[in-house]
């Protein structure tokens, strides 16, 4: 019943119309709109740079879709420019379905978004860079509704089980930040780098126990927050774990903390961290914030009904094992927060602050390979205990009221 309710909620979520805003519309400036390849032509695919001139900064969203590979840019509160079909830039303009303007550009091949920046009021323009990728690592959005709405695609089969014929536990690890978003920094060391290193060690510990692991990034690159959850869904994750070691929020105690989703959290420190995490995405213009409208939020909550307790169970198991391993934790080790990466309505998701890079004791731990190994092993034991618990309760849970 709850599962059916959740499926219904997801279906409704994708169908909710978005209200238009009654404001003066921004204008596209064709004279400041440019498109070109970067670097020398050596007969290989080259990076692409696109600048869309505007008369003021606007909220926007960007997606890459396939069939053929195309870039879709939606500019909210913007009048679709009246540019003839023969536009030399081969950008096609039209009205975005939810209001505003939409530009579509057919790409020369599979590409991914490298950077996206909306200029300020003194230099209002959207600047994008795309880089070619190999066909096998091309990951376009496949559902046009999600392109419009920024809502994660529903999993093909609801529930925790992975693909058919494979009942191995599958964990997606998400090393926080990356690329032009370094996260917290302490003397030239970035959170992005420390978390990538830890994610690799943690992945090795999990794999040694027969757990399948996918990392959302394997190198120092920017991955939009929403894409991180999409990767988890595409891989059929049983559990999504985002790894962080941020700057210690003001007035906050150090120590490891595990966060689960809470859209109504009043936790001040968590809000500070959420803002910090989301800022790069907002700068990149990839915050498809329609999902935060009230109706969507209510439906999202409904869709989350049986995922949420499973996330909390996971957090509880991890805390127990970290305690056993003598890892110093915050006095409230499990907290709720509205972190965007925890938004998946159908995949149990956690965000772990292993410690705070700006705090001397935490930093010393994070730089200590023995401490990291102890934490990786404890988290692995926690995940195994959680999975065993889930397995035991599976049928009982589904038979609920
Ligand atoms: Zn972080």
């Amino acid at each position: 019943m709850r599962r059916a309710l959740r499926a219904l909620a997801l279906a409704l979520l994708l169908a909710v119309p978005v209200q238009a805003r009654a404001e003066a519309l921004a204008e596209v400036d064709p004279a400041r709109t440019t498109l070109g390849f970067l670097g020398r032509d050596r007969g290989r695919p080259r990076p692409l740079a696109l600048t869309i001139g505007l008369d003021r900064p606007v909220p926007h969203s960007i997606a890459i879709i396939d069939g053929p590979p195309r870039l879709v840019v939606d500019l909210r509160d913007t009048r679709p420019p009246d540019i003839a079909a023969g536009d030399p830039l081969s950008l096609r303009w039209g009205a975005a379905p939810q209001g505003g303007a939409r530009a579509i550009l057919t790409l020369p091949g599979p590409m991914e978004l490298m950077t996206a920046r909306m200029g300020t009021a003194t230099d209002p323009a959207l600047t994008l860079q795309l880089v070619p990728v190999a066909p096998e690592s091309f990951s376009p959005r496949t559902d046009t509704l999600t392109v419009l709405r920024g809502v994660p695609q529903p999993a093909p089969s609801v529930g925790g089980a992975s693909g058919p014929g494979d009942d191995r536990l599958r964990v997606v690890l998400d090393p926080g930040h990356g690329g032009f978003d370094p996260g917290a920094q302490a003397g030239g060391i970035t959170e992005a780098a420390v978390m990538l290193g830890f994610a690799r060690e943690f992945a090795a510990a999990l794999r040694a126990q027969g757990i399948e692991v996918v990392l959302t990034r394997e190198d120092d690159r920017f991955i939009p927050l929403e894409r991180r959850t999409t990767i988890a869904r595409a891989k059929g994750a049983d559990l999504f774990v985002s790894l962080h070691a941020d700057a210690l929020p003001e007035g906050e105690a150090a120590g490891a903390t595990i966060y689960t989703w809470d859209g109504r959290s009043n936790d001040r420190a968590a809000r500070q961290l959420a803002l910090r995490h989301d800022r790069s995405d907002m700068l990149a213009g990839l915050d498809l914030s329609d999902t935060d409208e009230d109706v969507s939020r209510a439906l999202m909550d409904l869709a989350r009904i049986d995922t949420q307790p499973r996330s909390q169970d996971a957090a509880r198991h991890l805390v127990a094992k970290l305690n056993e391993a003598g890892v110093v934790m915050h006095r409230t080790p499990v907290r709720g927060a509205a972190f965007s990466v925890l938004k998946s309505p159908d995949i149990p998701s956690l965000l772990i602050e292993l410690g705070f890079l700006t705090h001397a004791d935490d930093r010393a731990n994070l730089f200590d390979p023995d401490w990291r190994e102890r934490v990786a092993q404890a988290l692995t034991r926690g995940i195994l205990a959680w999975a065993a618990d889930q397995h035991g309760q599976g049928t009982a849970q589904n038979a609920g009221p």
Side-chain angles (χ1 to χ4, degrees):
M1 175 59 200
R2 270 195 289 174
R3 197 146 283 190
L5 209 58
R6 191 176 63 172
L8 176 70
L10 273 174
L12 285 171
L13 191 57
L14 293 168
V16 179
V18 179
Q19 283 159 4
R21 298 181 173 194
E23 282 173 31
L25 295 174
E27 303 281 349
V28 172
D29 179 355
R32 288 169 50 242
T33 299
T34 59
L35 174 69
F37 288 103
L38 300 173
R40 200 125 38 98
D41 187 0
R42 294 191 169 87
R44 283 205 303 257
R46 284 184 291 166
L48 200 65
L50 170 66
T51 299
I52 299 175
L54 292 156
D55 65 354
R56 62 179 163 90
V58 291
H60 53 284
S61 51
I62 301 160
I64 291 174
I65 58 175
D66 199 5
R70 279 160 297 169
L71 169 76
V72 182
V73 179
D74 282 0
L75 301 166
R76 291 245 297 261
D77 314 326
T78 302
R79 188 189 317 283
D82 186 19
I83 297 173
D87 171 24
L89 294 181
S90 55
L91 266 187
R92 295 193 309 279
W93 286 98
Q98 77 277 37
R102 164 167 293 182
I104 297 179
L105 173 68
T106 301
L107 300 172
M111 299 189 106
E112 68 179 19
L113 189 64
M114 204 56 194
T115 59
R117 199 176 62 83
M118 176 61 79
T120 57
T122 52
D123 177 28
L126 177 64
T127 309
L128 310 180
Q129 274 194 25
L130 296 119
V131 291
V133 291
E136 59 273 19
S137 42
F138 183 45
S139 55
R141 298 272 283 265
T142 50
D143 178 341
T144 48
L145 277 171
T146 67
V147 174
L148 310 183
R149 307 265 323 133
V151 171
Q153 293 172 43
S157 64
V158 282
S162 22
D166 180 5
D167 53 4
R168 279 211 298 166
L169 189 65
R170 196 168 301 161
V171 175
V172 168
L173 295 183
D174 173 45
H177 311 275
F180 66 78
D181 166 26
Q185 299 184 59
I189 309 272
T190 67
E191 180 187 354
V194 176
M195 288 305 102
L196 180 58
F198 178 76
R200 289 181 179 140
E201 295 166 359
F202 187 11
L206 290 166
R207 285 179 184 133
Q209 296 300 322
I211 297 173
E212 206 179 317
V213 185
V214 176
L215 268 59
T216 54
R217 64 180 177 92
E218 300 275 359
D219 52 19
D220 184 24
R221 73 173 61 196
F222 175 73
I223 312 265
L225 295 176
E226 195 239 350
R227 170 98 153 273
R228 296 173 191 253
T229 58
T230 305
I231 291 171
R233 182 159 295 96
K235 300 293 179 189
D238 297 303
L239 181 67
F240 173 86
V241 182
S242 191
L243 299 164
H244 290 260
D246 281 274
L248 187 63
E250 206 181 312
E252 193 59 28
T257 312
I258 300 183
Y259 290 95
T260 59
W261 171 262
D262 181 358
R264 294 176 181 80
S265 168
N266 285 319
D267 189 319
R268 189 188 50 83
R271 263 209 314 275
Q272 243 179 296
L273 288 172
L275 263 179
R276 205 171 287 157
H277 286 156
D278 287 354
R279 197 182 310 149
S280 303
D281 260 29
M282 285 191 270
L283 283 174
L286 293 155
D287 173 38
L288 310 185
S289 51
D290 291 340
T291 48
D292 285 336
E293 287 175 27
D294 286 347
V295 177
S296 299
R297 194 170 351 180
L299 290 170
M300 202 68 129
D301 286 349
L302 194 58
R304 218 173 256 124
I305 281 174
D306 63 12
T307 306
Q308 187 66 12
R310 291 162 65 209
S311 301
Q312 275 156 357
D313 280 349
R316 204 165 39 77
H317 278 291
L318 296 194
V319 167
K321 298 301 177 190
L322 288 170
N323 274 329
E324 274 174 29
V327 175
V328 176
M329 303 206 67
H330 189 275
R331 67 185 172 312
T332 316
V334 180
R335 294 156 79 177
F339 293 143
S340 298
V341 287
L342 299 177
K343 270 183 180 175
S344 289
D346 50 353
I347 301 172
S349 303
L350 304 174
L351 184 145
I352 307 181
E353 290 283 357
L354 289 165
F356 293 94
L357 203 56
T358 54
H359 187 272
D361 293 351
D362 281 1
R363 188 168 56 241
N365 282 336
L366 288 161
F367 291 178
D368 173 5
D370 292 337
W371 183 88
R372 292 199 307 268
E373 174 65 13
R374 197 148 53 91
V375 171
Q377 293 298 343
L379 293 175
T380 300
R381 286 195 297 276
I383 288 175
L384 287 170
W386 169 75
D389 210 6
Q390 293 285 299
H391 199 66
Q393 311 176 359
T395 43
Q397 263 188 359
N398 293 345

